Amino acid sequence: ACERAKIIKDNPVNLIKENLGELINTGVKTYQPVVNADETVMCFMQNQKFYDAIMISYKKDGQWTTPTNISPQIGSDGDMMPTAFSADGTELLLVQRTNSSNGNIFYSKKNDVFWGKAEKLGRNINTMSDEDHASFSCDGKSIIFSSARKGGEGELDLYISNRLPDNTWGSASNLGPKINTEKSETSAFLTAKD
């Protein structure tokens, strides 16, 4: 860790921080943001009086719109969190935590107006073990997700599953020892090649 810290210190990354304004940052706990590929749709968690809500905002004319609580549309009572959008911002992956802390991955799709009720992805994705995070490939034909299922390299491993013609997800393949270690790998994202 110390050696990596030295490398990071010697190779700083220039970042520009910009507050998203009072419409997004209202003074209550706001966390877990995800954006689509062209950064025109943003989903995040916001602490409400009795639960944590899934909020969504759209960028119009360079400004974020007033966030809308989509928890009722998706069917979350505060137990789901967004993990990734499809590139066009019409599909959303979420993780749901159960009482035993094991996560399951859910999917919601937006029609013209509303987000559909989140549906648990099938057994090729969700197991009796912890599924912790998922993200779409740039073309939406695959998802990469983390799972603690048996047969992996370590604790949480990264797996890939391809979308089938019937819009379900195929068998998951472990990304192997070049990616996965004996520790946990999670929160992977893919970006488009330049």
Side-chain angles (χ1 to χ4, degrees):
C2 291
E3 292 300 320
R4 288 186 186 273
K6 288 178 189 176
I7 293 169
I8 292 168
K9 184 179 176 195
D10 292 340
N11 297 291
V13 176
N14 293 323
L15 297 174
I16 298 172
K17 293 190 280 186
E18 179 182 334
N19 190 305
L20 296 181
E22 294 178 3
L23 280 178
I24 304 298
N25 298 308
T26 61
V28 299
K29 181 180 175 183
T30 304
Y31 62 100
Q32 194 74 21
V34 297
V35 294
N36 70 324
D38 65 1
E39 299 180 8
T40 57
V41 186
M42 176 173 53
C43 190
F44 57 93
M45 299 297 295
Q46 188 176 76
N47 186 254
Q48 303 287 313
K49 188 171 184 178
F50 297 109
Y51 70 105
D52 286 356
I54 301 170
M55 307 297 288
I56 196 158
S57 178
Y58 298 89
K59 192 178 276 186
K60 306 281 185 187
D61 300 321
Q63 300 294 318
W64 291 105
T65 61
T66 301
T68 301
N69 182 348
I70 62 169
S71 296
Q73 295 173 36
I74 288 175
S76 174
D77 60 2
D79 60 345
M80 288 187 193
M81 292 191 302
T83 65
F85 275 117
S86 59
D88 66 2
T90 63
E91 297 174 286
L92 181 62
L93 292 171
L94 306 108
V95 65
Q96 180 187 46
R97 293 277 164 209
T98 63
N99 291 336
S100 62
S101 296
N102 285 347
N104 288 300
I105 298 168
F106 282 69
Y107 168 89
S108 176
K109 182 163 178 63
K110 185 179 186 284
N111 62 24
D112 292 338
V113 180
F114 297 107
W115 285 89
K117 183 170 174 52
E119 297 179 8
K120 185 177 174 181
L121 295 182
R123 63 183 177 176
N124 286 332
I125 306 298
N126 290 305
T127 65
M128 297 299 289
S129 299
D130 190 21
E131 277 69 45
D132 181 71
H133 184 272
S135 64
F136 289 102
S137 61
C138 302
D139 62 7
K141 294 180 180 178
S142 302
I143 59 172
I144 289 184
F145 65 99
S146 55
S147 176
R149 66 187 63 197
K150 292 179 182 180
E153 302 292 331
E155 296 168 5
L156 285 167
D157 276 10
L158 296 178
Y159 291 79
I160 189 166
S161 174
N162 296 316
R163 194 186 303 245
L164 300 174
D166 65 356
N167 210 33
T168 61
W169 297 96
S171 297
S173 299
N174 187 296
L175 293 183
K178 289 185 179 178
I179 300 293
N180 293 309
T181 68
E182 69 277 359
K183 300 295 183 185
S184 288
E185 283 73 41
T186 188
S187 303
F189 287 92
L190 295 171
T191 59
K193 288 183 178 180
D194 289 337

